[in-house]
Short mmCIF file of all heavy atoms in Angstrom, two decimals:
data_model
loop_
_atom_site.label_atom_id
_atom_site.label_comp_id
_atom_site.label_asym_id
_atom_site.label_seq_id
_atom_site.Cartn_x
_atom_site.Cartn_y
_atom_site.Cartn_z
N MET O 1244 -2.04 10.18 -1.76
CA MET O 1244 -1.23 8.99 -1.61
C MET O 1244 0.21 9.41 -1.36
O MET O 1244 0.80 10.10 -2.18
CB MET O 1244 -1.37 8.15 -2.90
CG MET O 1244 -0.45 6.98 -3.03
SD MET O 1244 -0.91 5.64 -1.95
CE MET O 1244 0.65 4.85 -1.77
N ASN O 1245 0.76 8.96 -0.23
CA ASN O 1245 2.15 9.27 0.10
C ASN O 1245 2.97 8.04 -0.20
O ASN O 1245 3.13 7.14 0.63
CB ASN O 1245 2.24 9.67 1.57
CG ASN O 1245 3.62 10.14 1.96
OD1 ASN O 1245 4.61 9.76 1.34
ND2 ASN O 1245 3.69 10.99 2.94
N GLU O 1246 3.48 7.99 -1.42
CA GLU O 1246 4.24 6.83 -1.91
C GLU O 1246 5.50 6.59 -1.07
O GLU O 1246 5.83 5.44 -0.75
CB GLU O 1246 4.60 7.06 -3.37
CG GLU O 1246 5.30 5.88 -4.01
CD GLU O 1246 5.64 6.14 -5.46
OE1 GLU O 1246 5.38 7.24 -5.98
OE2 GLU O 1246 6.20 5.21 -6.07
N ALA O 1247 6.19 7.64 -0.68
CA ALA O 1247 7.42 7.49 0.08
C ALA O 1247 7.14 6.87 1.45
O ALA O 1247 7.92 6.01 1.92
CB ALA O 1247 8.11 8.84 0.26
N LEU O 1248 6.05 7.24 2.08
CA LEU O 1248 5.71 6.69 3.39
C LEU O 1248 5.30 5.21 3.27
O LEU O 1248 5.64 4.40 4.13
CB LEU O 1248 4.60 7.51 4.04
CG LEU O 1248 4.29 7.22 5.51
CD1 LEU O 1248 5.54 7.24 6.37
CD2 LEU O 1248 3.26 8.22 6.02
N LEU O 1249 4.60 4.87 2.20
CA LEU O 1249 4.27 3.47 1.96
C LEU O 1249 5.53 2.66 1.75
O LEU O 1249 5.71 1.59 2.33
CB LEU O 1249 3.33 3.31 0.75
CG LEU O 1249 2.96 1.89 0.38
CD1 LEU O 1249 2.28 1.17 1.54
CD2 LEU O 1249 2.09 1.88 -0.87
N ASP O 1250 6.46 3.18 0.94
CA ASP O 1250 7.74 2.48 0.72
C ASP O 1250 8.49 2.30 2.03
O ASP O 1250 9.07 1.24 2.28
CB ASP O 1250 8.62 3.28 -0.26
CG ASP O 1250 8.12 3.21 -1.69
OD1 ASP O 1250 7.29 2.32 -2.00
OD2 ASP O 1250 8.53 4.06 -2.49
N TYR O 1251 8.47 3.32 2.88
CA TYR O 1251 9.15 3.24 4.18
C TYR O 1251 8.55 2.12 5.02
O TYR O 1251 9.26 1.31 5.60
CB TYR O 1251 9.04 4.60 4.91
CG TYR O 1251 9.50 4.52 6.34
CD1 TYR O 1251 10.86 4.49 6.66
CD2 TYR O 1251 8.58 4.46 7.37
CE1 TYR O 1251 11.26 4.42 7.98
CE2 TYR O 1251 8.98 4.37 8.70
CZ TYR O 1251 10.34 4.35 8.99
OH TYR O 1251 10.74 4.25 10.31
N GLN O 1252 7.21 2.11 5.12
CA GLN O 1252 6.55 1.09 5.93
C GLN O 1252 6.80 -0.32 5.38
O GLN O 1252 6.97 -1.28 6.13
CB GLN O 1252 5.04 1.37 6.03
CG GLN O 1252 4.69 2.56 6.85
CD GLN O 1252 4.96 2.35 8.33
OE1 GLN O 1252 5.20 1.26 8.82
NE2 GLN O 1252 4.93 3.44 9.09
N MET O 1253 6.83 -0.44 4.04
CA MET O 1253 7.13 -1.74 3.43
C MET O 1253 8.52 -2.18 3.79
O MET O 1253 8.76 -3.36 4.12
CB MET O 1253 6.95 -1.66 1.91
CG MET O 1253 5.52 -1.52 1.48
SD MET O 1253 5.30 -1.08 -0.27
CE MET O 1253 6.17 -2.44 -1.07
N ALA O 1254 9.50 -1.25 3.77
CA ALA O 1254 10.88 -1.60 4.10
C ALA O 1254 11.03 -1.99 5.57
O ALA O 1254 11.70 -2.96 5.90
CB ALA O 1254 11.80 -0.42 3.76
N VAL O 1255 10.39 -1.20 6.45
CA VAL O 1255 10.45 -1.48 7.91
C VAL O 1255 9.92 -2.85 8.21
O VAL O 1255 10.45 -3.58 9.07
CB VAL O 1255 9.69 -0.39 8.68
CG1 VAL O 1255 9.46 -0.81 10.13
CG2 VAL O 1255 10.43 0.92 8.63
N HIS O 1256 8.84 -3.25 7.53
CA HIS O 1256 8.19 -4.54 7.81
C HIS O 1256 8.67 -5.66 6.88
O HIS O 1256 8.12 -6.75 6.91
CB HIS O 1256 6.68 -4.36 7.74
CG HIS O 1256 6.16 -3.49 8.84
ND1 HIS O 1256 5.96 -2.13 8.65
CD2 HIS O 1256 5.83 -3.75 10.12
CE1 HIS O 1256 5.52 -1.61 9.78
NE2 HIS O 1256 5.45 -2.57 10.68
N HIS O 1257 9.68 -5.36 6.06
CA HIS O 1257 10.27 -6.36 5.15
C HIS O 1257 9.20 -7.00 4.25
O HIS O 1257 9.16 -8.23 4.11
CB HIS O 1257 11.02 -7.43 5.92
CG HIS O 1257 12.03 -6.86 6.86
ND1 HIS O 1257 13.21 -6.29 6.43
CD2 HIS O 1257 12.04 -6.75 8.21
CE1 HIS O 1257 13.88 -5.86 7.47
NE2 HIS O 1257 13.20 -6.12 8.58
N VAL O 1258 8.35 -6.17 3.68
CA VAL O 1258 7.30 -6.61 2.77
C VAL O 1258 7.58 -6.01 1.40
O VAL O 1258 7.69 -4.80 1.26
CB VAL O 1258 5.91 -6.20 3.27
CG1 VAL O 1258 4.84 -6.56 2.26
CG2 VAL O 1258 5.62 -6.84 4.62
N GLY O 1259 7.71 -6.86 0.40
CA GLY O 1259 8.00 -6.39 -0.94
C GLY O 1259 6.76 -6.14 -1.76
O GLY O 1259 5.64 -6.50 -1.37
N LYS O 1260 6.96 -5.52 -2.92
CA LYS O 1260 5.85 -5.22 -3.81
C LYS O 1260 5.15 -6.48 -4.25
O LYS O 1260 3.92 -6.51 -4.34
CB LYS O 1260 6.37 -4.46 -5.03
CG LYS O 1260 6.87 -3.07 -4.70
CD LYS O 1260 7.45 -2.41 -5.93
CE LYS O 1260 7.99 -1.04 -5.56
NZ LYS O 1260 9.44 -0.98 -5.66
N SER O 1261 5.90 -7.52 -4.54
CA SER O 1261 5.30 -8.79 -5.01
C SER O 1261 4.38 -9.37 -3.96
O SER O 1261 3.31 -9.88 -4.27
CB SER O 1261 6.38 -9.79 -5.36
OG SER O 1261 7.13 -9.33 -6.46
N GLU O 1262 4.81 -9.29 -2.69
CA GLU O 1262 3.98 -9.83 -1.60
C GLU O 1262 2.66 -9.05 -1.46
O GLU O 1262 1.59 -9.64 -1.27
CB GLU O 1262 4.76 -9.79 -0.29
CG GLU O 1262 4.11 -10.51 0.85
CD GLU O 1262 4.96 -10.58 2.09
OE1 GLU O 1262 6.18 -10.27 2.04
OE2 GLU O 1262 4.41 -10.94 3.13
N ILE O 1263 2.75 -7.73 -1.58
CA ILE O 1263 1.52 -6.93 -1.51
C ILE O 1263 0.62 -7.24 -2.69
O ILE O 1263 -0.59 -7.41 -2.53
CB ILE O 1263 1.84 -5.42 -1.44
CG1 ILE O 1263 2.43 -5.11 -0.05
CG2 ILE O 1263 0.59 -4.58 -1.69
CD1 ILE O 1263 2.68 -3.65 0.22
N CYS O 1264 1.19 -7.33 -3.88
CA CYS O 1264 0.39 -7.63 -5.07
C CYS O 1264 -0.31 -8.97 -4.93
O CYS O 1264 -1.49 -9.10 -5.28
CB CYS O 1264 1.26 -7.62 -6.32
SG CYS O 1264 1.86 -5.98 -6.79
N MET O 1265 0.40 -9.96 -4.42
CA MET O 1265 -0.18 -11.26 -4.23
C MET O 1265 -1.32 -11.19 -3.22
O MET O 1265 -2.39 -11.79 -3.44
CB MET O 1265 0.88 -12.26 -3.80
CG MET O 1265 0.49 -13.71 -3.99
SD MET O 1265 1.87 -14.87 -3.99
CE MET O 1265 2.65 -14.49 -2.44
N GLU O 1266 -1.10 -10.50 -2.12
CA GLU O 1266 -2.14 -10.36 -1.08
C GLU O 1266 -3.39 -9.65 -1.62
O GLU O 1266 -4.50 -10.03 -1.27
CB GLU O 1266 -1.57 -9.59 0.12
CG GLU O 1266 -2.54 -9.40 1.24
CD GLU O 1266 -2.88 -10.67 2.00
OE1 GLU O 1266 -2.07 -11.62 2.03
OE2 GLU O 1266 -3.99 -10.74 2.56
N LEU O 1267 -3.18 -8.65 -2.46
CA LEU O 1267 -4.30 -7.88 -3.00
C LEU O 1267 -4.93 -8.54 -4.22
O LEU O 1267 -6.02 -8.15 -4.63
CB LEU O 1267 -3.84 -6.46 -3.36
CG LEU O 1267 -3.30 -5.59 -2.23
CD1 LEU O 1267 -2.91 -4.22 -2.77
CD2 LEU O 1267 -4.30 -5.46 -1.11
N GLY O 1268 -4.20 -9.46 -4.84
CA GLY O 1268 -4.70 -10.09 -6.05
C GLY O 1268 -4.66 -9.19 -7.26
O GLY O 1268 -5.54 -9.20 -8.10
N ILE O 1269 -3.59 -8.34 -7.31
CA ILE O 1269 -3.44 -7.42 -8.43
C ILE O 1269 -2.05 -7.60 -9.05
O ILE O 1269 -1.15 -8.19 -8.46
CB ILE O 1269 -3.61 -5.94 -7.98
CG1 ILE O 1269 -2.55 -5.54 -6.94
CG2 ILE O 1269 -5.02 -5.68 -7.47
CD1 ILE O 1269 -2.58 -4.06 -6.52
N THR O 1270 -1.89 -7.08 -10.25
CA THR O 1270 -0.60 -7.16 -10.94
C THR O 1270 0.31 -6.05 -10.42
O THR O 1270 -0.14 -5.07 -9.82
CB THR O 1270 -0.77 -7.02 -12.45
OG1 THR O 1270 -1.26 -5.69 -12.73
CG2 THR O 1270 -1.70 -8.08 -13.02
N ARG O 1271 1.59 -6.20 -10.72
CA ARG O 1271 2.54 -5.16 -10.34
C ARG O 1271 2.24 -3.85 -11.06
O ARG O 1271 2.41 -2.77 -10.48
CB ARG O 1271 3.98 -5.59 -10.61
CG ARG O 1271 4.49 -6.63 -9.62
CD ARG O 1271 5.91 -7.07 -9.93
NE ARG O 1271 6.84 -5.98 -9.80
CZ ARG O 1271 7.69 -5.82 -8.77
NH1 ARG O 1271 7.70 -6.72 -7.79
NH2 ARG O 1271 8.51 -4.80 -8.71
N SER O 1272 1.76 -3.91 -12.32
CA SER O 1272 1.46 -2.68 -13.03
C SER O 1272 0.25 -1.97 -12.40
O SER O 1272 0.21 -0.75 -12.33
CB SER O 1272 1.22 -2.94 -14.51
OG SER O 1272 0.16 -3.83 -14.71
N THR O 1273 -0.72 -2.74 -11.93
CA THR O 1273 -1.86 -2.14 -11.24
C THR O 1273 -1.40 -1.50 -9.93
O THR O 1273 -1.81 -0.38 -9.60
CB THR O 1273 -2.95 -3.20 -10.95
OG1 THR O 1273 -3.40 -3.73 -12.19
CG2 THR O 1273 -4.12 -2.61 -10.19
N PHE O 1274 -0.52 -2.18 -9.20
CA PHE O 1274 0.02 -1.62 -7.95
C PHE O 1274 0.79 -0.33 -8.23
O PHE O 1274 0.62 0.66 -7.53
CB PHE O 1274 0.93 -2.65 -7.27
CG PHE O 1274 1.47 -2.24 -5.95
CD1 PHE O 1274 0.62 -1.93 -4.88
CD2 PHE O 1274 2.83 -2.12 -5.73
CE1 PHE O 1274 1.09 -1.55 -3.65
CE2 PHE O 1274 3.35 -1.75 -4.49
CZ PHE O 1274 2.47 -1.45 -3.45
N TYR O 1275 1.53 -0.30 -9.31
CA TYR O 1275 2.28 0.89 -9.71
C TYR O 1275 1.31 2.06 -9.96
O TYR O 1275 1.52 3.17 -9.47
CB TYR O 1275 3.10 0.60 -10.97
CG TYR O 1275 3.75 1.83 -11.56
CD1 TYR O 1275 5.00 2.28 -11.08
CD2 TYR O 1275 3.17 2.55 -12.60
CE1 TYR O 1275 5.60 3.39 -11.61
CE2 TYR O 1275 3.75 3.67 -13.13
CZ TYR O 1275 4.97 4.10 -12.63
OH TYR O 1275 5.56 5.21 -13.16
N ARG O 1276 0.23 1.81 -10.71
CA ARG O 1276 -0.74 2.86 -11.02
C ARG O 1276 -1.41 3.40 -9.77
O ARG O 1276 -1.64 4.59 -9.61
CB ARG O 1276 -1.80 2.35 -12.01
CG ARG O 1276 -1.27 2.21 -13.42
CD ARG O 1276 -2.39 2.00 -14.42
NE ARG O 1276 -3.20 0.82 -14.14
CZ ARG O 1276 -2.94 -0.41 -14.54
NH1 ARG O 1276 -1.85 -0.64 -15.25
NH2 ARG O 1276 -3.74 -1.40 -14.25
N LYS O 1277 -1.69 2.49 -8.81
CA LYS O 1277 -2.32 2.91 -7.56
C LYS O 1277 -1.34 3.74 -6.72
O LYS O 1277 -1.71 4.75 -6.12
CB LYS O 1277 -2.81 1.70 -6.78
CG LYS O 1277 -4.04 1.06 -7.45
CD LYS O 1277 -4.45 -0.20 -6.72
CE LYS O 1277 -5.59 -0.87 -7.41
NZ LYS O 1277 -6.89 -0.49 -6.93
N ARG O 1278 -0.08 3.33 -6.67
CA ARG O 1278 0.93 4.08 -5.90
C ARG O 1278 1.18 5.45 -6.50
O ARG O 1278 1.45 6.41 -5.78
CB ARG O 1278 2.24 3.31 -5.87
CG ARG O 1278 2.18 2.08 -5.01
CD ARG O 1278 3.47 1.30 -4.99
NE ARG O 1278 4.51 2.18 -4.50
CZ ARG O 1278 5.79 2.05 -4.84
NH1 ARG O 1278 6.18 1.11 -5.64
NH2 ARG O 1278 6.68 2.86 -4.35
N LYS O 1279 1.10 5.58 -7.82
CA LYS O 1279 1.35 6.85 -8.48
C LYS O 1279 0.14 7.76 -8.50
O LYS O 1279 0.21 8.89 -8.98
CB LYS O 1279 1.83 6.61 -9.92
CG LYS O 1279 3.15 5.90 -10.01
CD LYS O 1279 4.27 6.75 -9.45
CE LYS O 1279 5.60 6.06 -9.54
NZ LYS O 1279 6.67 6.79 -8.88
N GLY O 1280 -1.02 7.25 -8.02
CA GLY O 1280 -2.20 8.07 -7.96
C GLY O 1280 -3.00 8.07 -9.24
O GLY O 1280 -3.94 8.84 -9.39
N ILE O 1281 -2.63 7.23 -10.21
CA ILE O 1281 -3.37 7.14 -11.47
C ILE O 1281 -4.74 6.50 -11.22
O ILE O 1281 -5.73 6.89 -11.81
CB ILE O 1281 -2.55 6.38 -12.52
CG1 ILE O 1281 -1.23 7.12 -12.79
CG2 ILE O 1281 -3.36 6.13 -13.79
CD1 ILE O 1281 -0.21 6.34 -13.56
N SER O 1282 -4.75 5.50 -10.34
CA SER O 1282 -6.00 4.92 -9.86
C SER O 1282 -5.89 4.86 -8.35
O SER O 1282 -4.85 5.17 -7.79
CB SER O 1282 -6.25 3.54 -10.49
OG SER O 1282 -5.21 2.66 -10.17
N GLU O 1283 -6.99 4.47 -7.71
CA GLU O 1283 -7.01 4.55 -6.24
C GLU O 1283 -7.11 3.15 -5.62
O GLU O 1283 -7.67 2.22 -6.21
CB GLU O 1283 -8.21 5.36 -5.78
CG GLU O 1283 -8.14 6.82 -6.19
CD GLU O 1283 -9.35 7.60 -5.71
OE1 GLU O 1283 -10.30 7.02 -5.19
OE2 GLU O 1283 -9.33 8.83 -5.90
N PHE O 1284 -6.57 3.04 -4.42
CA PHE O 1284 -6.77 1.83 -3.61
C PHE O 1284 -8.19 1.86 -3.09
O PHE O 1284 -8.69 2.92 -2.66
CB PHE O 1284 -5.80 1.81 -2.42
CG PHE O 1284 -4.37 1.52 -2.79
CD1 PHE O 1284 -3.46 2.55 -2.95
CD2 PHE O 1284 -3.95 0.20 -2.96
CE1 PHE O 1284 -2.15 2.29 -3.27
CE2 PHE O 1284 -2.62 -0.05 -3.29
CZ PHE O 1284 -1.74 0.97 -3.44
N ASN O 1285 -8.88 0.71 -3.12
CA ASN O 1285 -10.22 0.66 -2.54
C ASN O 1285 -10.11 0.30 -1.07
O ASN O 1285 -9.02 0.00 -0.57
CB ASN O 1285 -11.15 -0.28 -3.32
CG ASN O 1285 -10.70 -1.72 -3.28
OD1 ASN O 1285 -10.25 -2.21 -2.27
ND2 ASN O 1285 -10.80 -2.40 -4.41
N GLN O 1286 -11.23 0.36 -0.38
CA GLN O 1286 -11.23 0.18 1.07
C GLN O 1286 -10.69 -1.19 1.46
O GLN O 1286 -9.89 -1.31 2.42
CB GLN O 1286 -12.62 0.36 1.62
CG GLN O 1286 -12.71 0.23 3.15
CD GLN O 1286 -14.11 0.43 3.66
OE1 GLN O 1286 -15.03 0.70 2.90
NE2 GLN O 1286 -14.27 0.32 4.96
N SER O 1287 -11.08 -2.24 0.78
CA SER O 1287 -10.62 -3.59 1.16
C SER O 1287 -9.12 -3.73 0.92
O SER O 1287 -8.44 -4.41 1.68
CB SER O 1287 -11.41 -4.66 0.42
OG SER O 1287 -11.16 -4.61 -0.98
N GLU O 1288 -8.61 -3.10 -0.12
CA GLU O 1288 -7.16 -3.15 -0.38
C GLU O 1288 -6.38 -2.43 0.73
O GLU O 1288 -5.36 -2.92 1.19
CB GLU O 1288 -6.84 -2.52 -1.75
CG GLU O 1288 -7.33 -3.35 -2.90
CD GLU O 1288 -7.24 -2.65 -4.25
OE1 GLU O 1288 -7.24 -1.38 -4.28
OE2 GLU O 1288 -7.18 -3.34 -5.26
N ILE O 1289 -6.89 -1.29 1.14
CA ILE O 1289 -6.24 -0.53 2.24
C ILE O 1289 -6.25 -1.36 3.51
O ILE O 1289 -5.26 -1.44 4.21
CB ILE O 1289 -6.91 0.83 2.43
CG1 ILE O 1289 -6.64 1.73 1.21
CG2 ILE O 1289 -6.43 1.51 3.73
CD1 ILE O 1289 -7.42 3.02 1.20
N GLN O 1290 -7.36 -2.02 3.79
CA GLN O 1290 -7.47 -2.85 5.00
C GLN O 1290 -6.46 -4.00 4.95
O GLN O 1290 -5.82 -4.34 5.95
CB GLN O 1290 -8.87 -3.37 5.20
CG GLN O 1290 -9.84 -2.28 5.61
CD GLN O 1290 -11.29 -2.74 5.66
OE1 GLN O 1290 -11.71 -3.64 4.93
NE2 GLN O 1290 -12.06 -2.13 6.52
N LYS O 1291 -6.32 -4.63 3.79
CA LYS O 1291 -5.36 -5.73 3.64
C LYS O 1291 -3.93 -5.23 3.84
O LYS O 1291 -3.13 -5.91 4.48
CB LYS O 1291 -5.51 -6.41 2.28
CG LYS O 1291 -6.78 -7.23 2.17
CD LYS O 1291 -6.91 -7.81 0.77
CE LYS O 1291 -8.21 -8.57 0.63
NZ LYS O 1291 -8.40 -9.09 -0.77
N ILE O 1292 -3.61 -4.07 3.28
CA ILE O 1292 -2.26 -3.51 3.45
C ILE O 1292 -2.03 -3.16 4.90
O ILE O 1292 -0.96 -3.41 5.44
CB ILE O 1292 -2.07 -2.29 2.52
CG1 ILE O 1292 -2.05 -2.73 1.05
CG2 ILE O 1292 -0.78 -1.54 2.88
CD1 ILE O 1292 -2.05 -1.60 0.06
N MET O 1293 -3.02 -2.60 5.56
CA MET O 1293 -2.91 -2.28 7.00
C MET O 1293 -2.59 -3.54 7.79
O MET O 1293 -1.69 -3.51 8.65
CB MET O 1293 -4.20 -1.65 7.52
CG MET O 1293 -4.46 -0.26 7.11
SD MET O 1293 -6.06 0.37 7.67
CE MET O 1293 -5.81 0.40 9.45
N LYS O 1294 -3.29 -4.60 7.53
CA LYS O 1294 -3.06 -5.86 8.26
C LYS O 1294 -1.70 -6.43 7.94
O LYS O 1294 -0.95 -6.84 8.85
CB LYS O 1294 -4.15 -6.86 7.89
CG LYS O 1294 -4.06 -8.15 8.66
CD LYS O 1294 -5.23 -9.06 8.33
CE LYS O 1294 -5.07 -10.36 9.11
NZ LYS O 1294 -6.18 -11.29 8.83
N LEU O 1295 -1.31 -6.44 6.68
CA LEU O 1295 -0.01 -6.98 6.26
C LEU O 1295 1.14 -6.22 6.88
O LEU O 1295 2.14 -6.82 7.29
CB LEU O 1295 0.06 -6.95 4.73
CG LEU O 1295 1.23 -7.66 4.08
CD1 LEU O 1295 1.21 -9.16 4.39
CD2 LEU O 1295 1.21 -7.45 2.58
N LEU O 1296 1.02 -4.90 6.96
CA LEU O 1296 2.10 -4.07 7.48
C LEU O 1296 1.94 -3.73 8.96
O LEU O 1296 2.80 -3.06 9.55
CB LEU O 1296 2.21 -2.75 6.67
CG LEU O 1296 2.52 -2.91 5.19
CD1 LEU O 1296 2.57 -1.52 4.52
CD2 LEU O 1296 3.84 -3.63 4.97
N GLY O 1297 0.82 -4.13 9.55
CA GLY O 1297 0.59 -3.83 10.96
C GLY O 1297 0.43 -2.34 11.22
O GLY O 1297 0.91 -1.82 12.23
N LEU O 1298 -0.28 -1.64 10.31
CA LEU O 1298 -0.43 -0.19 10.43
C LEU O 1298 -1.62 0.16 11.31
O LEU O 1298 -2.63 -0.52 11.32
CB LEU O 1298 -0.66 0.43 9.04
CG LEU O 1298 0.42 0.22 7.99
CD1 LEU O 1298 -0.03 0.82 6.67
CD2 LEU O 1298 1.73 0.82 8.44
N THR O 1299 -1.49 1.26 12.01
CA THR O 1299 -2.61 1.81 12.76
C THR O 1299 -3.47 2.62 11.76
O THR O 1299 -3.04 2.90 10.63
CB THR O 1299 -2.14 2.77 13.86
OG1 THR O 1299 -1.52 3.92 13.27
CG2 THR O 1299 -1.18 2.08 14.83
N ALA O 1300 -4.66 3.00 12.22
CA ALA O 1300 -5.53 3.80 11.36
C ALA O 1300 -4.89 5.14 11.03
O ALA O 1300 -5.00 5.62 9.88
CB ALA O 1300 -6.87 4.01 12.06
N ASP O 1301 -4.19 5.74 11.98
CA ASP O 1301 -3.53 7.02 11.72
C ASP O 1301 -2.39 6.87 10.70
O ASP O 1301 -2.24 7.72 9.82
CB ASP O 1301 -2.96 7.61 13.02
CG ASP O 1301 -4.04 8.17 13.94
OD1 ASP O 1301 -5.15 8.46 13.44
OD2 ASP O 1301 -3.78 8.30 15.14
N GLU O 1302 -1.62 5.81 10.83
CA GLU O 1302 -0.54 5.56 9.87
C GLU O 1302 -1.10 5.35 8.47
O GLU O 1302 -0.56 5.90 7.49
CB GLU O 1302 0.30 4.35 10.28
CG GLU O 1302 1.14 4.59 11.52
CD GLU O 1302 1.77 3.33 12.06
OE1 GLU O 1302 1.17 2.23 11.94
OE2 GLU O 1302 2.89 3.45 12.63
N ALA O 1303 -2.17 4.58 8.38
CA ALA O 1303 -2.80 4.34 7.07
C ALA O 1303 -3.35 5.63 6.48
O ALA O 1303 -3.22 5.91 5.30
CB ALA O 1303 -3.89 3.30 7.21
N ALA O 1304 -3.97 6.46 7.32
CA ALA O 1304 -4.52 7.73 6.86
C ALA O 1304 -3.40 8.63 6.31
O ALA O 1304 -3.58 9.29 5.27
CB ALA O 1304 -5.24 8.46 7.99
N ASN O 1305 -2.25 8.64 6.96
CA ASN O 1305 -1.10 9.43 6.49
C ASN O 1305 -0.61 8.95 5.16
O ASN O 1305 -0.10 9.73 4.36
CB ASN O 1305 0.03 9.43 7.50
CG ASN O 1305 -0.29 10.24 8.73
OD1 ASN O 1305 -1.07 11.17 8.67
ND2 ASN O 1305 0.30 9.88 9.85
N ILE O 1306 -0.71 7.65 4.89
CA ILE O 1306 -0.25 7.10 3.62
C ILE O 1306 -1.29 7.34 2.52
O ILE O 1306 -0.97 7.85 1.45
CB ILE O 1306 0.03 5.60 3.75
CG1 ILE O 1306 1.24 5.36 4.68
CG2 ILE O 1306 0.29 4.97 2.38
CD1 ILE O 1306 1.47 3.90 5.02
N PHE O 1307 -2.51 6.93 2.75
CA PHE O 1307 -3.50 6.87 1.69
C PHE O 1307 -4.35 8.12 1.53
O PHE O 1307 -4.98 8.31 0.49
CB PHE O 1307 -4.42 5.65 1.93
CG PHE O 1307 -3.66 4.35 1.84
CD1 PHE O 1307 -3.36 3.65 3.01
CD2 PHE O 1307 -3.23 3.86 0.65
CE1 PHE O 1307 -2.67 2.45 2.94
CE2 PHE O 1307 -2.52 2.67 0.56
CZ PHE O 1307 -2.22 1.96 1.73
N PHE O 1308 -4.39 8.98 2.54
CA PHE O 1308 -5.27 10.15 2.48
C PHE O 1308 -4.53 11.44 2.80
O PHE O 1308 -5.06 12.31 3.46
CB PHE O 1308 -6.45 9.97 3.45
CG PHE O 1308 -7.21 8.71 3.20
CD1 PHE O 1308 -7.12 7.65 4.12
CD2 PHE O 1308 -8.02 8.56 2.10
CE1 PHE O 1308 -7.82 6.47 3.89
CE2 PHE O 1308 -8.70 7.39 1.85
CZ PHE O 1308 -8.63 6.35 2.76
N ASN O 1309 -3.33 11.58 2.29
CA ASN O 1309 -2.56 12.81 2.65
C ASN O 1309 -2.89 13.94 1.74
O ASN O 1309 -3.39 13.85 0.69
CB ASN O 1309 -1.06 12.52 2.69
CG ASN O 1309 -0.36 12.70 1.38
OD1 ASN O 1309 -0.94 12.71 0.32
ND2 ASN O 1309 0.94 12.84 1.45
#
């Protein structure tokens, strides 16, 4: 998980943590644990983030599978 790259993409697309949490149906603390690598994003969450941020498959791979 490349937290810095996710933060960059969120900033570029003007999407905040609250918006992502709402879209995923998770709490901010759950989002924090996933970003820190304590737990993992599942496939449907990654797909929702890709859609919300307009990410390509390569961009998503660089963020979630580095």
Side-chain angles (χ1 to χ4, degrees):
M1244 171 73 206
N1245 187 332
E1246 184 180 2
L1248 191 51
L1249 178 58
D1250 288 343
Y1251 170 78
Q1252 290 291 347
M1253 289 169 58
V1255 166
H1256 293 94
H1257 307 288
V1258 175
K1260 293 177 182 112
S1261 296
E1262 190 174 347
I1263 288 184
C1264 291
M1265 198 161 56
E1266 180 69 27
L1267 299 180
I1269 62 175
T1270 64
R1271 285 180 64 105
S1272 60
T1273 299
F1274 184 61
Y1275 173 85
R1276 286 192 302 273
K1277 289 176 183 267
R1278 289 179 59 208
K1279 295 295 180 186
I1281 298 167
S1282 60
E1283 295 180 354
F1284 287 98
N1285 63 41
Q1286 182 179 359
S1287 66
E1288 291 170 336
I1289 292 171
Q1290 289 174 331
K1291 288 177 183 178
I1292 292 172
M1293 286 176 66
K1294 184 176 179 180
L1295 188 62
L1296 298 179
L1298 301 176
T1299 66
D1301 287 339
E1302 290 170 328
N1305 288 333
I1306 293 171
F1307 297 105
F1308 305 109
N1309 89 341

